[in-house]
Amino acid sequence: MKDFNKNKKIILLIIIVPLLLVGQYFMFSKGIITPLVKGVEIKIIGGNYIKDLDKYIIKLGDEVEISAGNYVKIPGYAKDPELWFNVLDDTGIAEIKGNKMTALKEGYTSVAVMKKTRVLKKAMIKIVNPDVESLDLDLSDSLKYVGDKATITSSVAISSYKKFTDTYKTKYLSSNESVLKIEGDNVEAVGVGSATISGKCGGKTVEIPLEIEAKVTKLEVPNEFVLEEGQSATIKAKITTSPKGLKAPNVEYNYSTKKKKDERAAYVSEKGEISAVREGTEKVIVSCGEKKATVKITVKKRSIKNSSIKNVNYSYNIEEGKVKIEISWDSLDGIKSYEVYAKKYDDEGYEVLKSIPQSEEKEGKINTTIEIESSNEEETEGENKEKTLEIYMVGVGENESTKPSEKIIIKY
């Protein structure tokens, strides 16, 4: 009987033990029973951080990935336990979603690896925001003409935790997208005008002002101007740009040689306007962009036919039915005499009233007096009508005459 009971117990054990082992395996493997966990560590495996002796240091605004490390579970075949990460205070300094932690404010906080409500391991986190001490910008190539391209680079220096230097990203902006177009770190000159590249990082701003021009591919100007003293002309430059049709850079006009002002044969203004002043020659360098051309100016002595009487002055009064007019003007070289033409209000054309020889010149001036009847016999007594008298002078040379002077118009 004893042997029977003993055998029965043995058989029972043989049956129960495997069942227990199978049941235990089933419950651990299905997660019904959680395993024992050892060697849990809080580790940051993604993002930018600094590992200090007793804490992690993270930059404000960064997001990092947290891990529980290579922990050991007992038994090994058990289903991985449901571990989660938690912020142990309510300061709002950091936020955890899943295994991602975001640094929201500067300061200290604690995070933990949790198994249900139990803290398995915790770590201190310090969130910092190092100040940007300096910011420099540079361009890989020059930007001067439409079509030029370059890469923008920046150099950032921070006050502390230098390891975070590479995490500071500079944002680049253009003050005028129609002149400079920026995409990421690349910039292209797309139009003519002024624009500024701005780099912003950590409260610092650096600017690079630029002037973009059209590239001049061709500059055409007249080779020579032949003028007489007192004449004027304008140098008109024809400019071709690339791309065509763009606003060309300003045209500059410079003398090829240095001279005193009173030695120059002609003066040239900033707009290319030529004033011929005396016999001689000048050479002017015309520049636009990187193109240059030379214009020769030859000034000849002024011919009589291209001259005119200048600085005419007059005064008049009416005495005893006559208009008495005193006239003066500058004398001219090469003139034999001066003829005074007049037309009264009732005349059909001008007639020569007086001829004055050049010999009457005094101190560079010609002076004369003219008397003209102010009325005629046909006017009735008491008639009061405004009369007009027109006068001009012409200088007469050997074979040619000057241009008429400005008219003197007298109403009386």
Side-chain angles (χ1 to χ4, degrees):
M1 188 68 180
K2 284 183 177 181
D3 291 338
F4 175 76
N5 289 332
K6 185 178 180 180
N7 292 334
K8 188 175 181 181
K9 288 179 180 181
I10 292 171
I11 293 170
L12 200 59
L13 286 171
I14 293 170
I15 295 171
I16 291 173
V17 168
L19 288 174
L20 288 173
L21 293 173
V22 171
Q24 176 182 285
Y25 177 84
F26 176 79
M27 286 188 285
F28 274 114
S29 63
K30 295 299 182 181
I32 298 171
I33 300 175
T34 58
L36 180 65
V37 177
K38 289 187 177 183
V40 172
E41 294 288 341
I42 294 180
K43 291 186 176 181
I44 296 177
I45 60 174
N48 297 286
Y49 64 92
I50 298 173
K51 180 69 172 72
D52 208 342
L53 293 174
D54 58 349
K55 60 183 175 291
Y56 285 101
I57 301 172
I58 302 170
K59 187 167 74 71
L60 180 67
D62 281 0
E63 182 183 80
V64 296
E65 186 178 342
I66 306 175
S67 169
N70 298 319
Y71 61 85
V72 177
K73 60 183 179 181
I74 302 173
Y77 56 80
K79 184 179 179 181
D80 290 341
E82 293 184 3
L83 304 182
W84 59 289
F85 304 97
N86 189 28
V87 178
L88 298 179
D89 55 52
D90 57 358
T91 58
I93 289 175
E95 178 185 62
I96 294 178
K97 291 182 179 180
N99 67 336
K100 304 286 186 181
M101 181 175 70
T102 304
L104 303 177
K105 298 178 184 178
E106 291 184 75
Y108 287 90
T109 188
S110 293
V111 298
V113 180
M114 308 289 293
K115 182 182 178 184
K116 294 185 179 180
T117 59
R118 180 186 169 195
V119 176
L120 298 182
K121 189 71 176 181
K122 64 180 180 179
M124 184 68 69
I125 304 293
K126 181 181 181 182
I127 297 173
V128 297
N129 186 28
D131 293 330
V132 174
E133 291 185 330
S134 65
L135 172 64
D136 294 315
L137 297 185
D138 196 13
L139 297 173
S140 62
D141 297 285
S142 65
L143 293 173
K144 185 176 181 181
Y145 300 113
V146 175
D148 287 351
K149 297 178 181 180
T151 299
I152 313 169
T153 57
S154 62
S155 176
V156 180
I158 60 177
S159 58
S160 57
Y161 301 103
K162 307 296 183 183
K163 187 176 179 180
F164 289 128
T165 299
D166 292 341
T167 68
Y168 282 79
K169 302 300 179 185
T170 305
K171 186 177 181 180
Y172 305 114
L173 299 171
S174 169
S175 65
N176 191 342
E177 288 285 343
S178 65
V179 177
L180 291 176
K181 187 176 181 181
I182 296 176
E183 292 184 358
D185 297 341
N186 299 311
V187 58
E188 180 180 2
V190 294
V192 174
S194 302
T196 299
I197 297 173
S198 298
K200 297 183 178 181
C201 182
K204 294 285 185 181
T205 301
V206 177
E207 296 182 341
I208 301 177
L210 294 166
E211 288 287 338
I212 304 301
E213 300 178 349
K215 192 173 185 67
V216 177
T217 56
K218 195 174 185 180
L219 171 62
E220 297 175 275
V221 293
N223 292 326
E224 184 178 10
F225 286 87
V226 179
L227 304 173
E228 292 184 4
E229 294 171 328
Q231 290 185 326
S232 60
T234 301
I235 303 172
K236 295 182 179 180
K238 183 180 178 182
I239 301 163
T240 304
T241 63
S242 177
K244 289 184 178 180
L246 294 176
K247 180 183 177 181
N250 291 333
V251 180
E252 296 183 359
Y253 304 89
N254 296 287
Y255 299 108
S256 64
T257 57
K258 290 184 178 180
K259 292 181 183 178
K260 293 181 180 179
K261 187 175 181 180
D262 58 3
E263 294 177 344
R264 292 209 177 275
Y267 301 138
V268 180
S269 72
E270 293 180 352
K271 296 181 179 180
E273 298 164 337
I274 304 171
S275 298
V277 291
R278 59 182 59 85
E279 285 186 275
T281 60
E282 296 288 346
K283 286 186 178 180
V284 175
I285 307 299
V286 183
S287 306
C288 185
E290 295 181 352
K291 298 293 183 181
K292 293 183 178 182
T294 301
V295 176
K296 183 180 178 182
I297 302 169
T298 300
V299 181
K300 296 181 177 180
K301 190 174 182 63
R302 185 155 190 169
S303 60
I304 292 176
K305 67 178 181 180
N306 287 324
S307 301
S308 62
I309 293 172
K310 302 289 186 182
N311 297 322
V312 176
N313 292 288
Y314 71 95
S315 63
Y316 74 94
N317 58 58
I318 300 174
E319 296 178 358
E320 300 177 354
K322 293 182 179 181
V323 182
K324 187 177 180 180
I325 310 160
E326 294 183 357
I327 311 172
S328 68
W329 62 86
D330 291 346
S331 65
L332 295 171
D333 292 338
I335 299 298
K336 294 178 66 178
S337 63
Y338 300 90
E339 294 183 344
V340 181
Y341 289 81
K343 181 170 81 74
K344 293 175 63 176
Y345 66 94
D346 54 353
D347 291 342
E348 292 185 359
Y350 292 88
E351 62 179 14
V352 178
L353 291 184
K354 194 172 186 180
S355 181
I356 306 160
Q358 176 76 328
S359 59
E360 293 188 14
E361 174 195 351
K362 290 183 180 180
E363 297 180 355
K365 289 282 187 180
I366 301 295
N367 294 276
T368 190
T369 301
I370 298 172
E371 290 186 357
I372 298 177
E373 295 288 339
S374 65
S375 60
N376 58 39
E377 297 176 353
E378 296 178 1
E379 292 178 343
T380 60
E381 186 177 350
E383 187 177 11
N384 187 15
K385 293 183 180 180
E386 185 178 69
K387 308 297 190 296
T388 301
L389 177 63
E390 297 180 6
I391 300 172
Y392 70 85
M393 287 72 68
V394 173
V396 180
E398 188 70 35
N399 297 310
E400 53 190 6
S401 301
T402 68
K403 295 178 182 179
S405 69
E406 292 184 0
K407 289 181 181 178
I408 297 172
I409 299 176
I410 298 173
K411 296 182 179 181
Y412 61 93

